[in-house]
Coordinates of all heavy atoms in Angstrom, one line a residue:
R118 N 6.4 -7.1 -1.0 CA 6.8 -8.4 -1.4 C 7.2 -9.2 0.1 O 7.7 -8.3 1.1 CB 8.2 -8.4 -2.0 CG 8.6 -9.5 -2.8 CD 9.7 -9.4 -3.7 NE 9.3 -8.9 -4.9 CZ 9.9 -7.8 -5.6 NH1 11.0 -7.3 -5.1 NH2 9.3 -7.4 -6.7
N119 N 7.0 -10.4 0.3 CA 7.3 -11.1 1.5 C 8.7 -11.7 1.4 O 9.2 -12.0 0.4 CB 6.2 -12.2 1.7 CG 4.9 -11.5 2.0 OD1 4.7 -10.5 2.6 ND2 3.9 -12.4 1.7
L120 N 9.3 -11.9 2.7 CA 10.5 -12.6 2.7 C 10.3 -14.1 2.5 O 11.2 -14.7 2.0 CB 11.2 -12.4 4.0 CG 12.2 -11.3 4.2 CD1 12.7 -11.5 5.7 CD2 13.4 -11.6 3.3
G153 N 16.4 -5.9 4.0 CA 16.3 -5.3 2.6 C 17.6 -4.5 2.3 O 18.2 -3.9 3.1
G154 N 17.7 -4.2 1.0 CA 18.9 -3.3 0.6 C 18.6 -2.3 -0.3 O 19.5 -1.6 -0.9
G155 N 17.2 -1.9 -0.5 CA 16.8 -0.9 -1.5 C 16.7 0.4 -0.8 O 16.9 0.6 0.5
D156 N 16.2 1.4 -1.4 CA 15.9 2.7 -0.9 C 14.9 2.6 0.2 O 15.1 3.4 1.2 CB 15.3 3.6 -2.0 CG 16.3 4.0 -3.1 OD1 17.6 4.1 -2.7 OD2 15.9 4.5 -4.2
S157 N 13.9 1.8 0.1 CA 12.8 1.7 1.1 C 13.5 1.2 2.3 O 13.3 1.8 3.5 CB 11.7 0.8 0.8 OG 11.0 1.2 -0.3
A158 N 14.4 0.2 2.3 CA 14.9 -0.3 3.5 C 15.8 0.8 4.2 O 15.7 0.9 5.4 CB 15.6 -1.6 3.2
Q160 N 15.8 4.0 3.8 CA 15.1 5.1 4.3 C 14.3 4.9 5.6 O 14.3 5.6 6.5 CB 14.1 5.6 3.3 CG 13.7 7.1 3.2 CD 13.0 7.5 1.9 OE1 12.2 6.8 1.4 NE2 13.5 8.6 1.4
H176 N 21.2 -7.4 4.7 CA 21.0 -7.3 3.3 C 21.7 -8.6 2.8 O 22.7 -9.1 3.2 CB 21.6 -6.2 2.6 CG 21.4 -6.1 1.2 ND1 20.2 -6.5 0.6 CD2 22.1 -5.5 0.1 CE1 20.4 -6.4 -0.8 NE2 21.5 -5.8 -1.0
R177 N 21.0 -9.3 1.8 CA 21.5 -10.6 1.4 C 22.7 -10.4 0.5 O 23.4 -11.5 0.2 CB 20.4 -11.3 0.5 CG 20.0 -10.6 -0.7 CD 18.9 -11.2 -1.5 NE 18.4 -10.5 -2.6 CZ 17.4 -10.9 -3.4 NH1 16.7 -12.1 -3.1 NH2 17.0 -10.2 -4.4
R178 N 23.0 -9.3 0.0 CA 24.3 -9.1 -0.8 C 25.4 -8.4 -0.1 O 25.1 -8.0 0.9 CB 23.9 -8.4 -2.0 CG 23.2 -9.3 -3.2 CD 23.0 -8.7 -4.4 NE 22.3 -7.4 -4.5 CZ 22.7 -6.3 -5.1 NH1 23.9 -6.4 -5.8 NH2 22.2 -5.3 -5.1
R182 N 21.5 -1.8 -2.8 CA 21.0 -1.3 -4.1 C 20.5 0.2 -3.9 O 20.4 0.9 -5.0 CB 19.6 -2.2 -4.4 CG 18.8 -1.9 -5.7 CD 17.6 -2.7 -5.6 NE 17.9 -4.1 -5.8 CZ 18.0 -4.6 -7.1 NH1 18.0 -4.0 -8.1 NH2 18.3 -5.8 -7.2
Q184 N 20.3 4.3 -3.1 CA 21.1 5.4 -3.5 C 22.3 5.6 -2.5 O 22.0 5.5 -1.3 CB 20.4 6.6 -3.5 CG 19.0 6.6 -4.4 CD 18.0 7.8 -4.1 OE1 18.4 8.8 -4.0 NE2 16.9 7.3 -3.6
L187 N 21.7 7.7 0.5 CA 20.8 7.2 1.6 C 21.8 6.2 2.5 O 21.7 6.2 3.7 CB 19.7 6.4 1.0 CG 18.4 7.1 0.9 CD1 17.3 6.2 0.2 CD2 17.8 7.5 2.3
F238 N 11.5 -4.8 4.0 CA 11.3 -3.9 2.9 C 12.1 -4.5 1.7 O 13.2 -4.2 1.5 CB 11.9 -2.5 3.2 CG 11.2 -1.9 4.4 CD1 11.9 -1.8 5.6 CD2 9.8 -1.4 4.3 CE1 11.2 -1.2 6.8 CE2 9.2 -0.8 5.4 CZ 9.9 -0.7 6.7
V239 N 11.5 -5.6 1.2 CA 12.2 -6.2 0.1 C 11.4 -6.0 -1.2 O 11.4 -6.9 -2.1 CB 12.4 -7.8 0.4 CG1 13.4 -7.9 1.6 CG2 11.1 -8.5 0.8
G240 N 10.8 -4.8 -1.4 CA 10.3 -4.4 -2.6 C 8.8 -4.6 -2.5 O 8.2 -5.2 -1.6
S241 N 8.1 -3.9 -3.4 CA 6.6 -4.1 -3.4 C 6.1 -4.2 -4.8 O 6.8 -3.9 -5.7 CB 5.9 -2.9 -2.7 OG 6.2 -1.8 -3.3
F256 N 9.0 2.4 -11.6 CA 8.9 1.4 -10.4 C 7.6 0.6 -10.7 O 7.2 -0.2 -9.7 CB 9.0 2.1 -9.2 CG 10.2 3.0 -8.9 CD1 9.8 4.3 -8.6 CD2 11.4 2.5 -9.3 CE1 10.8 5.2 -8.4 CE2 12.5 3.6 -9.1 CZ 12.2 4.7 -8.8
Ligands
LIG1 P1 13.7 -2.4 -4.4 O1 14.5 -1.2 -4.9 O2 13.2 -3.5 -5.3 O3 14.6 -3.1 -3.4 C1 14.3 -4.4 -2.8 C2 15.5 -4.9 -1.9 O4 15.0 -6.0 -1.4 C3 16.7 -5.2 -2.8 O5 17.8 -4.8 -2.1 C4 16.7 -6.8 -2.9 O6 17.9 -7.4 -2.8 C5 16.0 -7.2 -1.4 N1 15.2 -8.4 -1.7 C6 14.3 -8.6 -2.6 N2 13.8 -9.9 -2.4 C7 14.4 -10.4 -1.2 C8 14.4 -11.5 -0.6 N3 13.5 -12.4 -0.9 N4 15.3 -11.7 0.4 C9 16.0 -10.6 0.9 N5 16.1 -9.5 0.2 C10 15.3 -9.4 -0.9 O7 12.5 -2.0 -3.5 P2 12.4 -0.7 -2.6 O8 13.5 -0.4 -1.8 O9 11.0 -0.9 -1.9 O10 12.1 0.4 -3.7 C11 11.1 0.3 -4.8 C12 11.4 1.4 -5.8 O11 11.1 2.6 -5.2 C13 12.9 1.5 -6.0 O12 13.2 1.6 -7.4 C14 13.5 2.6 -5.3 O13 14.4 3.3 -5.9 C15 12.1 3.5 -5.2 N6 12.2 4.3 -3.9 C16 12.8 5.5 -3.9 C17 12.9 6.2 -2.8 C18 13.6 7.6 -2.7 O14 13.8 8.0 -3.9 N7 13.8 8.1 -1.7 C19 12.4 5.7 -1.6 C20 11.9 4.4 -1.6 C21 11.7 3.7 -2.7 P3 18.8 -7.3 -4.1 O15 19.4 -5.9 -4.0 O16 19.9 -8.3 -3.8 O17 18.1 -7.5 -5.3

Side-chain angles (χ1 to χ4, degrees):
R118 194 174 286 137
N119 292 331
L120 261 183
D156 284 336
S157 298
Q160 205 164 45
H176 182 33
R177 64 183 176 182
R178 285 193 296 135
R182 180 184 289 274
Q184 302 160 59
L187 266 177
F238 303 103
V239 293
S241 61
F256 313 123

